[in-house]
Amino acid sequence: RLTMKSLIQTEFLKFKRSRILYISIFGVLIISATVLLQGQHIFYGEKYADKSGWLITAALSLGSFYILPPLFALIGSYSISREYQDGTMKELAIIPVRGKELIVSKLIVSFTFCIFLTLLLFVLELFMEVVLYTNKLTILEMIGYLKQYFLQGIALFFAITPLIAIVTIFRKGYWLSVIFAMIYSFAGVFTSQSQMFKSIYPISASFCFSGFYDVSGMQFMIACISLIISLLIAGIILRSARVYRME
């Protein structure tokens, strides 16, 4: 029987040969370019981008509401659905591996790449802050922003897992995940404006979890519960659907 380590290594190799990762990196570059253009706007004689931390903050907000969730959903659903897309299900049927182990390995690799994309966005924005605009950021501020991006990446992946699970039931319809995720994440723009719902709705709850929003201890706890429930829902859907019927 293949070990989990072998499954994860195999999934990494598959992603390296896939165009999905390059498409996702291009999406991150789009976020950076958009924020850079927005930063050229002048307010009271000063560019937005000249304000220390503006680019990093704006990129995390823009990316989390509009770009990163669709990319995360695409990566996750493609990873699980690709066996049907590439016609490799017959080969998997003769390999000594359980379906749930295969799905877990795919989710782990998808999660890793999603965190990579989030941190790549941070590096690009930090470069623009420090090099292009020579903004004065202390080491502690940089570490704080890095932590914020890292936690935001984790939370967004948790928030998006139910969509990944739902779309993979369609097997070859992983591009549907982009459309669903765009609608799902855009709704977070409105829930984030509500004190009642911003810690409940998973997308806006990600901002509460990462520390992007200043929230009370109770709101932080609710946000954590919301994200955990999202992950549990995804697990229930994938288990009940039995996407890989190998058990």
Side-chain angles (χ1 to χ4, degrees):
R1 179 178 294 276
L2 292 178
T3 64
M4 181 61 67
K5 180 180 179 181
S6 298
L7 289 173
I8 291 174
Q9 290 175 338
T10 302
E11 289 303 317
F12 270 113
L13 291 175
K14 288 180 180 179
F15 257 111
K16 286 178 65 177
R17 298 193 298 265
S18 169
R19 291 180 296 176
I20 296 295
L21 182 59
Y22 299 104
I23 292 172
S24 301
I25 292 174
F26 179 73
V28 171
L29 294 176
I30 291 295
I31 301 173
S32 298
T34 302
V35 171
L36 184 61
L37 290 175
Q38 289 180 339
Q40 307 311 305
H41 294 167
I42 297 176
F43 185 71
Y44 285 102
E46 183 182 16
K47 290 182 180 179
Y48 289 144
D50 288 330
K51 298 177 182 177
S52 181
W54 188 91
L55 289 168
I56 292 180
T57 302
L60 187 59
S61 177
L62 179 69
S64 298
F65 280 129
Y66 300 104
I67 306 296
L68 292 179
L71 291 181
F72 287 9
L74 177 61
I75 289 173
S77 58
Y78 172 74
S79 176
I80 297 176
S81 301
R82 65 175 299 155
E83 311 303 344
Y84 294 98
Q85 180 73 22
D86 298 343
T88 56
M89 279 305 300
K90 291 182 180 180
E91 297 174 13
L92 286 175
I94 62 175
I95 296 176
V97 59
R98 301 179 65 182
K100 64 180 180 180
E101 292 175 349
L102 188 57
I103 288 180
V104 169
S105 68
K106 289 175 177 292
L107 289 176
I108 290 174
V109 173
S110 298
F111 171 77
T112 302
F113 278 118
C114 290
I115 295 299
F116 164 75
L117 292 176
T118 309
L119 297 182
L120 174 62
L121 179 61
F122 168 75
V123 170
L124 291 173
E125 298 309 317
L126 182 63
F127 174 82
M128 290 191 290
E129 286 271 3
V130 177
V131 178
L132 297 186
Y133 286 91
T134 63
N135 290 331
K136 304 299 182 182
L137 289 174
T138 66
I139 297 298
L140 287 178
E141 287 176 326
M142 293 180 188
I143 294 175
Y145 284 126
L146 175 60
K147 176 184 176 183
Q148 202 171 79
Y149 269 71
F150 180 70
L151 293 178
Q152 187 77 7
I154 294 174
L156 284 177
F157 184 81
F158 278 32
I160 216 72
T161 50
L163 282 184
I164 295 174
I166 291 171
V167 172
T168 51
I169 295 175
F170 297 100
R171 297 183 178 180
K172 294 185 180 181
Y174 56 85
W175 283 104
L176 288 174
S177 65
V178 177
I179 299 173
F180 292 159
M182 288 177 66
I183 298 171
Y184 178 57
S185 59
F186 182 69
V189 176
F190 302 99
T191 59
S192 65
Q193 300 173 14
S194 168
Q195 288 296 321
M196 179 181 298
F197 293 109
K198 73 177 181 181
S199 57
I200 297 175
Y201 191 72
I203 295 296
S204 51
S206 66
F207 290 95
C208 301
F209 177 78
S210 68
F212 189 89
Y213 293 153
D214 290 325
V215 295
S216 65
M218 179 60 70
Q219 287 177 311
F220 176 78
M221 288 295 296
I222 293 174
C224 291
I225 293 172
S226 173
L227 295 171
I228 292 173
I229 290 175
S230 296
L231 191 62
L232 291 176
I233 290 174
I236 292 171
I237 294 173
L238 288 171
R239 183 175 179 82
S240 60
R242 292 188 64 191
V243 179
Y244 299 129
R245 303 177 183 276
M246 300 175 185
E247 280 78 11

